[in-house]
Amino acid sequence: MIGHDGKTDDDRRVGRRSRVLRAAGLTLAGALVVGVATAGWAYWHLNDNIRSVDINSALGDDRPAKAVVTPSAPASASAALPTGSLNILVLGSDSRSGKANQQLGGGDSSGARSDTAMVVHIDAGRTGATVVSIPRDTLVTRPSCPLSSGGSTPVAHNVMFNSAYSVGGPVCAVKTVESITGVRMDHYVEIDFSGFAKLVDALGGVTVTTDQDIDDDKSHLNLKKGTHHLDGKQALAMARTRHGIGDGSDLGRIGLQQKLVKALLGQIAANDLLTDPAKLYDVTDAVTDSLTTDTGLDSLSELIGLGQSLEGLSATGTKTVMMPVVTAPSDPNRVIAKEPAASRLWDSLR
């Protein structure tokens, strides 16, 4: 039927369909633009979170030799993920800078120290790992360290291990670890109080089993012996607890920290993050927001690449040990490396 406008009913139906299709096309295009823009903003935001220190340039060539890496055969047409062994110095900083850290620790930002120090050795093939805790109360010879402001710190004998971070930051922490272990640190990763707590919360908490009652009025952690599901604040309190267990030394705290490391690995494995983009973003934001790395890990793509290369690593394939120590002859409240056991351990990680 021809109407007053000279168009048939079929013409009008075609016109309506065209307008609907155009509207749908514009809506889809708009959604794609918003989606791409959102993804781009998220990547920029997460990438911008990461802070880094150029440790390689600062330390130069006066370091232990790098481990020999044997290239792996490509598993597909795409570039193969690296499979060589790695040594990563992981520090938990007790920095009080920022409101979140002050609420969790209190104090002033000038007193930042390496509250927790672990050398994470990832085996060739990257399906097994050894996490070696270094007690912060260990007496060491701290080497001369370059300062970002120019000059260097003096060599210091018989000083606490965690003083390296206090006087020279990440660069001195790495140099001191390499000096006492003879092992090259391929990477450096540091996370502060609030970052650790936010990571645990983003993962939905962690489940740990304690072998004894814990009652520490300094970390404000009170737990009965048994299994507990902890939120971020509680997990951080456990990582800092030492007065409510054992003899109140750093050695008891290390045992709790190692329980947390395994619990976190298990929780990460239990969360299939790749199928839950919102949770993946929350976890990544929590990690990167309080992260300082060396320049080899200072981008989201580099961190993702490292994570992908560790997909075969699990809690059961991870050993946790402490550097062998004995009470220091000069101070019953300090420890020194127990030889030759400590040297044998470090030799096994080269």
Side-chain angles (χ1 to χ4, degrees):
M1 181 178 177
I2 299 175
H4 296 296
D5 56 2
K7 294 182 179 180
T8 65
D9 290 340
D10 287 342
D11 290 335
R12 281 190 286 274
R13 280 193 292 272
V14 169
R16 282 195 297 272
R17 283 198 298 271
S18 296
R19 287 192 296 274
V20 170
L21 288 172
R22 281 199 300 273
L26 288 172
T27 300
L28 178 59
L32 287 172
V33 168
V34 170
V36 170
T38 301
W41 176 86
Y43 185 91
W44 173 86
H45 171 72
L46 295 173
N47 209 57
D48 193 56
N49 277 346
I50 305 167
R51 295 174 294 278
S52 66
V53 178
D54 192 350
I55 289 172
N56 287 337
S57 293
L59 295 184
D61 296 326
D62 185 20
R63 306 177 66 185
K66 290 183 179 180
V68 177
V69 177
T70 303
S72 59
S76 64
S78 61
L81 292 168
T83 60
S85 63
L86 280 178
N87 289 301
I88 305 173
L89 176 59
V90 178
L91 294 187
S93 165
D94 71 349
S95 169
R96 271 59 167 189
S97 62
K99 184 177 180 180
N101 280 322
Q102 289 172 1
Q103 289 174 340
L104 291 167
D108 120 24
S109 60
S110 64
R113 296 162 299 181
S114 52
D115 204 49
T116 303
M118 297 179 178
V119 173
V120 179
H121 172 79
I122 300 166
D123 298 339
R126 304 198 179 182
T127 57
T130 302
V131 180
V132 185
S133 296
I134 302 177
R136 70 177 191 174
D137 295 340
T138 305
L139 297 180
V140 301
T141 294
R142 191 180 67 226
S144 174
C145 300
L147 296 172
S148 58
S149 58
S152 58
T153 65
V155 175
H157 301 281
N158 215 38
V159 296
M160 282 177 57
F161 165 74
N162 71 339
S163 68
Y165 184 92
S166 299
V167 302
V171 170
C172 198
V174 169
K175 185 159 187 179
T176 300
V177 168
E178 291 184 342
S179 175
I180 65 176
T181 66
V183 178
R184 172 79 169 236
M185 295 297 110
D186 299 295
H187 292 297
Y188 169 84
V189 173
E190 176 191 330
I191 190 165
D192 65 22
F193 279 2
S194 67
F196 178 79
K198 285 192 290 185
L199 170 61
V200 172
D201 283 335
L203 287 168
V206 292
T207 300
V208 297
T209 300
T210 62
D211 303 322
Q212 58 184 296
D213 294 346
I214 299 174
D215 184 9
D216 189 341
D217 59 355
K218 293 188 180 296
S219 69
H220 307 294
L221 183 67
N222 294 280
L223 294 176
K224 293 294 183 182
K225 175 182 175 181
T227 300
H228 304 272
H229 191 74
L230 309 180
D231 62 18
K233 188 174 182 179
Q234 291 170 314
L236 177 62
M238 176 172 278
R240 300 181 64 210
T241 288
R242 64 171 176 166
H243 297 286
I245 55 169
D247 60 1
S249 73
D250 197 42
L251 307 188
R253 171 166 54 187
I254 283 174
L256 295 178
Q257 291 173 347
Q258 291 176 341
K259 284 181 182 290
L260 282 168
V261 167
K262 289 214 165 190
L264 276 172
L265 286 173
Q267 191 69 6
I268 289 169
N271 281 272
D272 192 358
L273 299 178
L274 294 179
T275 63
D276 190 341
K279 177 164 280 192
L280 176 61
Y281 176 84
D282 288 343
V283 170
T284 308
D285 190 37
V287 172
T288 58
D289 188 43
S290 303
L291 196 68
T292 301
T293 71
D294 66 285
T295 49
L297 288 178
D298 64 352
S299 72
L300 197 57
S301 60
E302 287 165 329
L303 287 172
I304 289 172
L306 175 62
Q308 289 174 331
S309 77
L310 301 179
E311 284 182 346
L313 184 63
S314 67
T316 55
T318 303
K319 294 186 298 183
T320 55
V321 299
M322 184 177 70
M323 181 182 79
V325 295
V326 294
T327 302
S330 61
D331 187 341
N333 296 314
R334 301 288 179 260
V335 296
I336 58 173
K338 180 181 180 180
E339 296 296 357
S343 292
R344 284 199 296 263
L345 172 62
W346 299 125
D347 286 344
S348 71
L349 305 187
R350 292 193 180 93

